[in-house]
Amino acid sequence: MASSLTKDSASPAAEKTFFGHPRGLATLFMTEMWERFSYYGMRALLVYYLVSGGADAATGSQGGGLAMTAATTTAIYSVYVSMVYLMAMPGGWFGDRVWGARKTVAIAGFVIMAGHLSLAIPGQAMFFVGLVLVAAGSGLLKANISTMVGHLYDGPDDPRRDGGFTLFYVGINLGAFVAPFIVGTVGKEHNWHLGFALAALGMGLGLTQFLLGTKNLSPKSSEVPNPLSPEERKAVLTKVVLVVLAIAVFYGAVVALGAYTLNWALVPLTLAGLLIPIAVLTRIKRDKDLSGAEQSKMTAYIWFFIAAAVFWMIYDQGGSTLSLFADDKTADTVFGLGFSATWYQSLNPLFVMALAPVFAWLWLWLSRKNQEPNTIVKFSMGLVLVGASFFVFIVPMGMATGDTKVSPMWLVSIYMIQTIGELCLSPVGLSVTTKMAPQKYASQMMGVWFLAVTAGDCTTSLLSIGGVDLNGTWVIGFQAAAAVLAGFAVYTYRKKVQGLMGDVH
């Protein structure tokens, strides 16, 4: 990407730019690209490593995983993804009040790399240490690197700002697209821990790029916008120490009594992932400092939040339920050429890069004709589409009986439908979150939006822990119906929700 830096003759100093944007965007683009490479590469391996047992002499599969059941695997995967998004809120807090965005991202890079290196060490204990580190580091980085992109521009009215975020979004999807081909193939088909080590290498490259390019970033990125006072710092530290000690004592007692099982960790995390979003929304909704108009908007926002949680509950099973089906019940050859099941994880970023410009053009074209669907209708479309993808999923599930394996095109179709749904719901959700945020919580509401992902994934985890077979046809059908009905419910009550939204359209 360095070759894309060109001279901008229109600027007074004719300084180097990145496709006409501030040079610091190249630094953040490459950092995020490699971070996503590491994250999605490891994620492509996660469920397969968890379910893999001994090596299969007949197929030549490597084995050597943790030999867990599909239900436990889905629960762990869902909790892990939910924690990544849950950690975005404290990640933003660290950037705003403790380290500043630049230092927080640098520390996050080291934490993520340490997590992947932990995964590269065989053994269940190091595996879970690695998951915790990657989740914590990803939350720290996710919440701050987008803020740093915004710092590169002269406020919200800078005409280059939207284009800069679009380029940054390309970096995210480019890393996510490439990772399953490299990390996924090496890890699943050859050596799990070498695959995890490649993910660590990817994060190391991103961190190196970031540290070398910090001179091109805005000075604002080093500032702490609202630093903790000495008294606040002491109070926070005291609370953290007390909570850590309480957790250590509790789990120490459970282990000492010989009662510890994996559910002692999964159930509390799952419940926290469901209760924290409820608590956060309740606290904001009950805040007496909010005006009547802000209260009304928050009531409307809760509709969007619940709808988004339903969407992500299904969508994120692309890395668990669909992945397990891809490995067990889907043919692994096309035109006589074999491929790894991890490659399916490249479909979503590929479709995003291909279809996002199409949708951007489509909404603009419809807007000119005064026919663009409003936010509520787009949300409804997203829910109906993600539900439809699982209705489609029922068909190959019924075909894949015994040793019969279905065509890969079934999964390609399902991932494409889900991506179209994502493009209807996700960008609109980000936009409506910023528009409907109460002034008092303007900087926190993006973290609240991420909590919808946490709530959706924790619902999936809770179902798995409760013994529900998410790979069963009736469960897939139930989830599909729930999403479609939610979409129709949002559409049916669109006028009521629009009335609550006030001046937001």
Side-chain angles (χ1 to χ4, degrees), residues 293-329:
E294 288 177 326
Q295 286 280 4
S296 179
K297 289 177 182 177
M298 279 306 302
T299 301
Y301 186 76
I302 290 171
W303 278 77
F304 291 112
F305 185 93
I306 294 171
V310 173
F311 178 89
W312 296 116
M313 178 185 72
I314 294 177
Y315 180 90
D316 276 344
Q317 289 182 58
S320 54
T321 306
L322 287 176
S323 287
L324 293 172
F325 185 84
D327 197 38
D328 293 337
K329 300 295 185 179

Side-chain angles (χ1 to χ4, degrees), residues 363-412:
W363 299 142
L364 186 60
W365 181 70
L366 289 173
S367 177
R368 287 172 180 161
K369 296 168 66 72
N370 202 30
Q371 295 179 348
E372 181 185 4
N374 64 22
T375 297
I376 303 169
V377 174
K378 289 177 182 176
F379 250 75
S380 301
M381 291 166 61
L383 282 166
V384 170
L385 283 165
V386 82
S389 75
F390 263 27
F391 276 129
V392 172
F393 187 26
I394 292 173
V395 179
M397 289 183 77
M399 295 167 60
T401 56
D403 294 330
T404 303
K405 294 199 173 187
V406 300
S407 166
M409 294 310 297
W410 283 106
L411 286 182
V412 172

Side-chain angles (χ1 to χ4, degrees), residues 467-478:
V468 176
D469 180 13
L470 291 174
N471 300 288
T473 304
W474 75 270
V475 178
I476 297 298
F478 177 80

Side-chain angles (χ1 to χ4, degrees), residues 27-64:
T27 297
L28 299 176
F29 177 100
M30 296 295 287
T31 303
E32 181 70 351
M33 185 189 76
W34 283 115
E35 187 274 331
R36 292 291 86 182
F37 174 91
S38 70
Y39 175 79
Y40 281 98
M42 182 277 280
R43 209 176 83 158
L45 290 179
L46 189 54
V47 296
Y48 299 129
Y49 177 66
L50 286 168
V51 299
S52 175
D56 188 332
T59 63
S61 64
Q62 59 163 313

Side-chain angles (χ1 to χ4, degrees), residues 28 53 140 157 244 286 316 321 350 407 412 430 458:
L28 299 176
L140 287 171
D157 296 328
V244 170
R286 290 184 175 179
D316 276 344
T321 306
L350 174 63
S407 166
V412 172
L430 291 168
C458 281

Side-chain angles (χ1 to χ4, degrees), residues 322-454:
L322 287 176
S323 287
L324 293 172
F325 185 84
D327 197 38
D328 293 337
K329 300 295 185 179
T330 308
D332 58 1
T333 58
V334 176
F335 303 121
L337 300 174
F339 61 93
S340 171
T342 61
W343 290 17
Y344 288 105
Q345 298 305 305
S346 290
L347 289 172
N348 171 251
L350 174 63
F351 288 140
V352 167
M353 289 188 288
L355 296 176
V358 176
F359 272 76
W361 171 84
L362 177 64
W363 299 142
L364 186 60
W365 181 70
L366 289 173
S367 177
R368 287 172 180 161
K369 296 168 66 72
N370 202 30
Q371 295 179 348
E372 181 185 4
N374 64 22
T375 297
I376 303 169
V377 174
K378 289 177 182 176
F379 250 75
S380 301
M381 291 166 61
L383 282 166
V384 170
L385 283 165
V386 82
S389 75
F390 263 27
F391 276 129
V392 172
F393 187 26
I394 292 173
V395 179
M397 289 183 77
M399 295 167 60
T401 56
D403 294 330
T404 303
K405 294 199 173 187
V406 300
S407 166
M409 294 310 297
W410 283 106
L411 286 182
V412 172
S413 301
I414 293 167
Y415 281 113
M416 184 173 71
I417 295 169
Q418 291 188 349
T419 302
I420 294 171
E422 178 193 6
L423 291 171
C424 290
L425 182 140
S426 185
V428 174
L430 291 168
S431 176
V432 81
T433 297
T434 59
K435 290 177 181 178
M436 295 174 67
Q439 186 62 37
K440 182 177 179 180
Y441 297 97
S443 61
Q444 299 179 39
M445 282 300 288
M446 199 56 70
V448 174
W449 168 252
F450 288 140
L451 289 180
V453 185
T454 298

Side-chain angles (χ1 to χ4, degrees), residues 7-222:
K7 289 285 186 179
D8 183 5
S9 57
S11 65
E15 63 181 71
K16 288 183 178 180
T17 64
F18 180 69
F19 291 111
H21 291 269
R23 192 177 181 184
L25 184 61
T27 297
L28 299 176
F29 177 100
M30 296 295 287
T31 303
E32 181 70 351
M33 185 189 76
W34 283 115
E35 187 274 331
R36 292 291 86 182
F37 174 91
S38 70
Y39 175 79
Y40 281 98
M42 182 277 280
R43 209 176 83 158
L45 290 179
L46 189 54
V47 296
Y48 299 129
Y49 177 66
L50 286 168
V51 299
S52 175
D56 188 332
T59 63
S61 64
Q62 59 163 313
L66 298 184
M68 294 185 178
T69 64
T72 302
T73 293
T74 300
I76 292 172
Y77 173 86
S78 300
V79 165
Y80 164 69
V81 174
S82 71
M83 290 302 109
V84 168
Y85 287 91
L86 180 63
M87 291 301 295
M89 285 200 78
W93 182 85
F94 271 99
D96 286 342
R97 308 217 62 189
V98 183
W99 293 323
R102 186 183 302 188
K103 187 175 181 180
T104 303
V105 168
I107 291 171
F110 280 109
V111 172
I112 293 169
M113 187 167 64
H116 289 304
L117 289 173
S118 298
L119 292 170
I121 300 172
Q124 186 168 306
M126 293 307 295
F127 172 81
F128 286 109
V129 168
L131 279 192
V132 170
L133 291 174
V134 174
S138 297
L140 287 171
L141 188 140
K142 180 182 288 291
N144 290 281
I145 196 164
S146 295
T147 301
M148 295 172 69
V149 174
H151 288 161
L152 297 172
Y153 299 95
D154 297 326
D157 296 328
D158 190 319
R160 302 173 299 168
R161 186 182 179 92
D162 286 351
F165 274 97
T166 300
L167 274 175
F168 182 69
Y169 196 59
V170 169
I172 293 173
N173 285 285
L174 191 59
F177 171 70
V178 173
F181 292 112
I182 301 174
V183 177
T185 302
V186 170
K188 186 176 185 301
E189 308 303 330
H190 300 285
N191 185 286
W192 299 114
H193 303 290
L194 181 57
F196 292 133
L198 284 175
L201 175 62
M203 188 64 253
L205 291 172
L207 182 59
T208 301
Q209 169 73 28
F210 182 77
L211 295 175
L212 292 176
T214 50
K215 61 182 180 295
N216 299 314
L217 300 177
S218 168
K220 287 183 184 177
S221 299
S222 296

